[in-house]
Amino acid sequence: MFRQLYTALTSDNSLDQAFSELTEMLDHASWMFIRANNVLHNSVPAKDVRDSIYSRDRAINELERSIRRKILRHLTVNPGYDVAISLALMSVAKDAERIGDYCKNVFEVGQFYTQGFHVPKYQEPLDQVADHTIEMFRLVSHACHSSDESKARDAIAKVRTIRQQCDWVIQELFADENEIEFHEAVAYSLLARHYKRVAAHLANIATAVLGQLEDLDFYDED
């Protein structure tokens, strides 16, 4: 699908700019996700990145609105032309906007929960999920920029592992009969939820790269 989009871009500057803005949204979100996890691991104080986190989230929101305006302008000037591609781009822009929200949520867990993580049974798989998600950001960004279907497939393959690990953490927390502080259990469950959502939206963008428009939003389901 994105190869078709590249063809359309040669004749429409608005779509060209919209596509560049999608990549910019992903770059902002990737930065937010990495910094949020730095806060979780106490390698960066929350106060040092808070303003930048929220500033980038606002920038993502404005970019999503800008993409929407450009697509509507394109469809107004070219009625009936590139409708499927335009709607797909609008859909994945919304995915990128939601990713920014969940990255902000990850940061807020680290900002408000300051007692530390002490249960390797949960911390280690969630750390692995975070690493896989950072790699997903890299793969999806490259796939979008270069219309690389191989990278898109690699990203989608990772989301399955991420989803399984996050679901396992939540299920184990409910079944765990060992003593675990309530606030720490809440933090683990929130992280599992937020990580899962970030990965799902990244997978949805990768699905668009593959041109599987009928499957858009499939990976956004619980």
Side-chain angles (χ1 to χ4, degrees):
M1 186 277 289
F2 275 18
R3 286 176 182 160
Q4 293 176 307
L5 180 57
Y6 280 131
T7 301
L9 297 184
T10 62
S11 60
D12 191 292
N13 190 52
S14 293
L15 279 183
D16 189 8
Q17 293 174 353
F19 192 76
S20 296
E21 287 173 345
L22 173 63
T23 303
E24 189 176 350
M25 292 173 76
L26 288 171
D27 290 343
H28 281 315
S30 177
W31 186 95
M32 291 171 64
F33 187 82
I34 291 170
R35 296 308 181 280
N37 280 279
N38 288 341
V39 171
L40 284 170
H41 291 91
N42 297 314
S43 60
V44 174
K47 62 181 179 62
D48 288 358
V49 296
R50 182 185 184 281
D51 289 346
S52 295
I53 290 279
Y54 284 95
S55 175
R56 286 181 183 253
D57 182 56
R58 289 191 296 271
I60 288 173
N61 294 342
E62 178 53 38
L63 286 165
E64 196 264 339
R65 288 190 289 269
S66 177
I67 289 173
R68 190 185 307 143
R69 289 193 297 268
K70 288 178 174 64
I71 292 172
L72 293 174
R73 185 183 307 126
H74 170 77
L75 293 176
T76 299
V77 175
N78 305 280
Y81 182 70
D82 294 332
V83 173
I85 295 171
S86 297
L87 293 179
L89 181 54
M90 188 178 292
S91 175
V92 296
K94 185 62 179 177
D95 282 305
E97 187 271 333
R98 295 299 294 145
I99 289 170
D101 289 340
Y102 285 113
C103 291
K104 183 176 63 177
N105 293 153
V106 172
F107 164 74
E108 288 168 347
V109 173
Q111 179 184 25
F112 299 125
Y113 174 69
T114 59
Q115 288 86 349
F117 298 99
H118 309 96
V119 185
K121 173 183 177 181
Y122 301 117
Q123 181 178 353
E124 291 175 2
L126 287 175
D127 286 346
Q128 293 173 5
V129 165
D131 290 341
H132 287 316
T133 305
I134 290 171
E135 177 63 10
M136 275 193 78
F137 270 110
R138 187 189 69 79
L139 290 169
V140 173
S141 180
H142 183 87
C144 288
H145 185 267
S146 303
S147 192
D148 190 326
E149 295 184 2
S150 175
K151 292 290 192 298
R153 291 190 183 91
D154 289 344
I156 291 172
K158 284 186 176 295
V159 79
R160 297 186 179 96
T161 299
I162 290 171
R163 184 167 50 200
Q164 290 169 357
Q165 287 183 285
C166 290
D167 287 345
W168 180 87
V169 167
I170 293 173
Q171 290 167 8
E172 284 296 305
L173 283 168
F174 277 114
D176 201 336
E177 297 180 356
N178 296 322
E179 291 188 5
I180 178 173
E181 294 291 338
F182 175 76
H183 50 72
E184 188 170 0
V186 170
Y188 286 133
S189 63
L190 286 173
L191 287 176
R193 173 70 175 174
H194 299 333
Y195 287 159
K196 181 180 177 182
R197 305 313 295 154
V198 170
H201 285 290
L202 284 170
N204 212 42
I205 298 173
T207 299
V209 174
L210 295 176
Q212 298 170 357
L213 305 187
E214 70 280 4
D215 290 333
L216 286 179
D217 295 328
F218 175 77
Y219 289 103
D220 194 34
E221 297 176 357
D222 288 335

